Amino acid sequence: MLEAINHAVEAAQAAADRWNSTGLTRHMASLVREVWTTNLERFEPDELGDNARTLGFQCSENLCARTERRIRGDAHEAVHWNISGLTVSRPNGAMRICVGGDRVFLMKAPMEASRQPRWDAMSWDGESATRQALAERNSLALGGFSTPAEGQEELFGLGAEDAYIDGYLMVWAGEISSGLTAGWLTIPILGELPFAAVTPLWWDESEGAPAGIRPRRPDGPSFEQVASTTPKLRLKPRHAMRGDEA
């Protein structure tokens, strides 16, 4: 087990180093902060019925859309990420960033953990086809390795010295009370524990929430924990106009 885990940790650190050296960490951290604080400022649980799921969904959608625009040089963005070899695509609808041979998907950590995600509590089964496929690919790259339960012995040797990992999940989190964020580059994998490696990218240290933030924790499950449903729409009644009256 140690051989496979060590290889994964080294791969994640090397990928994080590439993010740092190209400036991608700095760019991503800045955009995550902007998206998070903007959505906190317009978070309206009392007036609009917002909750953890709506906040998480809005942040995830905004981050993906704006990341794509900044990489493509869209005119709607004042900042463009001019990084050599950086590309963006949406295979099966999930946004993927590629740089230096790395394939990276984005994920927001569950809300209840604030900036301290419970890495052992996440699961890929039925949660996301993209993340499940990513975990399967990484397990295969590590010679079929999957993480055992706590206290369980590894059942077979791996020979992972020639393994090549190129699939990562960039997990980010935000704090309601302060507006501070954090991000990690991770390697999802099959087994009882969902990650083979978790490497820090950034951790905000500045104190004080941006102006306008309502320091109130949303209730209920977050977007990452609730299955999508078909929205029920109701048309707003149209006021009678002159000439329309019976």
Side-chain angles (χ1 to χ4, degrees):
M1 182 174 79
L2 287 179
E3 181 183 358
I5 292 296
N6 288 340
H7 187 89
V9 169
E10 291 172 1
Q13 185 59 61
D17 290 343
R18 287 189 286 273
W19 272 51
N20 294 333
S21 64
T22 59
L24 185 53
T25 295
R26 175 173 50 82
H27 284 307
M28 182 62 72
S30 176
L31 182 56
V32 165
R33 293 184 198 107
E34 184 176 344
V35 166
W36 180 240
T37 55
T38 297
N39 280 287
L40 283 180
E41 288 171 355
R42 65 187 184 187
F43 181 69
E44 294 283 0
D46 297 326
E47 295 87 343
L48 301 178
D50 285 334
N51 53 37
R53 186 185 178 212
T54 61
L55 178 60
F57 177 81
Q58 192 67 55
C59 287
S60 295
E61 288 293 300
N62 291 163
L63 181 61
C64 285
R66 299 193 63 189
T67 294
E68 187 170 11
R69 294 194 318 198
R70 290 190 174 194
I71 292 176
R72 296 189 186 280
D74 190 283
H76 290 91
E77 296 289 338
V79 176
H80 296 157
W81 298 355
N82 299 315
I83 297 174
S84 178
L86 179 63
T87 63
V88 62
S89 59
R90 287 184 179 262
N92 300 316
M95 195 191 72
R96 181 179 69 193
I97 300 172
C98 293
V99 62
D102 301 327
R103 303 156 55 255
V104 184
F105 295 88
L106 308 186
M107 171 184 168
K108 186 189 178 304
M111 194 78 68
E112 76 279 358
S114 187
R115 287 199 298 162
Q116 299 287 348
R118 291 186 54 199
W119 300 109
D120 60 342
M122 301 182 199
S123 172
W124 314 128
D125 293 339
E127 192 269 347
S128 163
T130 296
R131 294 166 195 165
Q132 174 72 19
L134 190 58
E136 291 174 353
R137 180 186 176 100
N138 288 336
S139 286
L140 185 62
L142 292 172
F145 174 74
S146 61
T147 55
E150 185 175 355
Q152 179 183 351
E153 294 292 334
E154 183 186 353
L155 299 179
F156 49 86
L158 297 172
E161 64 275 1
D162 296 325
Y164 175 70
I165 296 176
D166 65 353
Y168 302 87
L169 193 61
M170 196 286 287
V171 180
W172 69 275
E175 195 170 77
I176 294 288
S177 59
S178 66
L180 302 179
T181 70
W184 302 264
L185 203 59
T186 73
I187 297 181
I189 198 169
L190 299 179
E192 293 298 318
L193 300 176
F195 297 98
V198 175
T199 300
L201 287 175
W202 79 89
W203 178 273
D204 290 344
E205 296 291 351
S206 302
E207 296 181 358
I213 290 180
R214 300 169 179 80
R216 173 175 174 179
R217 178 176 295 279
D219 299 323
S222 67
F223 166 67
E224 292 292 340
Q225 297 173 301
V226 181
S228 61
T229 58
T230 302
K232 296 180 180 179
L233 303 179
R234 184 175 65 180
L235 296 178
K236 183 177 180 181
R238 182 173 66 89
H239 295 292
M241 304 290 292
R242 266 184 205 180
D244 289 344
E245 299 177 355

